Amino acid sequence: LQGHSLEAVDRERIDGFTQSLAEFSGLIRDRGAEPVLFMTWAYADRPDMTPRLDEAFTRLGAELDLEVVPVGLAFARALEEMPGLALHTPDKIHPSLAGTYLAAAVFYAALYDRSPENLDYDAGLPADSARRLRAIAWSSVLDYRNRR
């Protein structure tokens, strides 16, 4: 489940977001599946969003018993470890190919509880960059789980 990138941290939107998460989580569980919560990333020009998003999604995950897929933390880690990597499109909000690839790798790691490092699909990214993004995805999921 994912909402608007700011819903989890916007005072005017958080109540509606929380209500929607609870409602849709119930519907998903009623049908025998387990919902997960997609932690969004900071905007390219607002890296200070990461701690707020982390706190909000972690709290919501705990309150609603949802696994949190820490895409936002992986974005922050990738930008730190791979300076100059463009994870966002020019609008500074939406993901680039590399950002989409990283998000998919984080979901793979979280949903399968398995490292994506040995996967050979690179989505047309340079092989070394794709490999590093897969490693970042795995370490981000492990670190997030270990701190809970």
Side-chain angles (χ1 to χ4, degrees), residues 23-34:
E23 181 180 339
F24 285 110
S25 294
L27 291 170
I28 291 166
R29 287 181 172 127
D30 288 348
R31 284 156 182 80
E34 193 58 38

Side-chain angles (χ1 to χ4, degrees), residues 61-105:
E63 286 176 9
L64 299 170
D65 193 27
L66 297 169
E67 178 177 359
V68 176
V69 181
V71 175
L73 296 178
F75 262 61
R77 180 174 287 184
L79 291 170
E80 182 178 308
E81 293 183 17
M82 301 173 72
L85 178 67
L87 291 178
H88 301 82
T89 59
D91 71 4
K92 300 181 181 182
I93 297 171
H94 295 95
S96 66
L97 174 62
T100 300
Y101 183 85
L102 176 59

Side-chain angles (χ1 to χ4, degrees), residues 58 66-68 143-148:
T58 298
L66 297 169
E67 178 177 359
V68 176
D143 288 350
Y144 185 76
R145 287 179 176 171
N146 286 334
R147 69 173 206 201
R148 291 183 306 175

Side-chain angles (χ1 to χ4, degrees), residues 20-131:
S20 294
L21 288 175
E23 181 180 339
F24 285 110
S25 294
L27 291 170
I28 291 166
R29 287 181 172 127
D30 288 348
R31 284 156 182 80
E34 193 58 38
V36 297
L37 184 56
F38 182 148
M39 179 194 293
T40 56
W41 52 82
Y43 297 167
D45 59 350
R46 294 185 52 198
D48 59 304
M49 288 172 59
T50 299
R52 292 176 42 226
L53 290 166
D54 179 17
E55 185 278 326
F57 280 97
T58 298
R59 181 182 43 75
L60 288 166
E63 286 176 9
L64 299 170
D65 193 27
L66 297 169
E67 178 177 359
V68 176
V69 181
V71 175
L73 296 178
F75 262 61
R77 180 174 287 184
L79 291 170
E80 182 178 308
E81 293 183 17
M82 301 173 72
L85 178 67
L87 291 178
H88 301 82
T89 59
D91 71 4
K92 300 181 181 182
I93 297 171
H94 295 95
S96 66
L97 174 62
T100 300
Y101 183 85
L102 176 59
V106 175
F107 267 90
Y108 178 93
L111 296 177
Y112 289 103
D113 195 26
R114 183 178 317 159
S115 173
E117 292 173 280
N118 293 326
L119 300 176
D120 60 4
Y121 178 70
D122 62 21
L125 295 169
D128 183 56
S129 293
R131 181 188 52 74

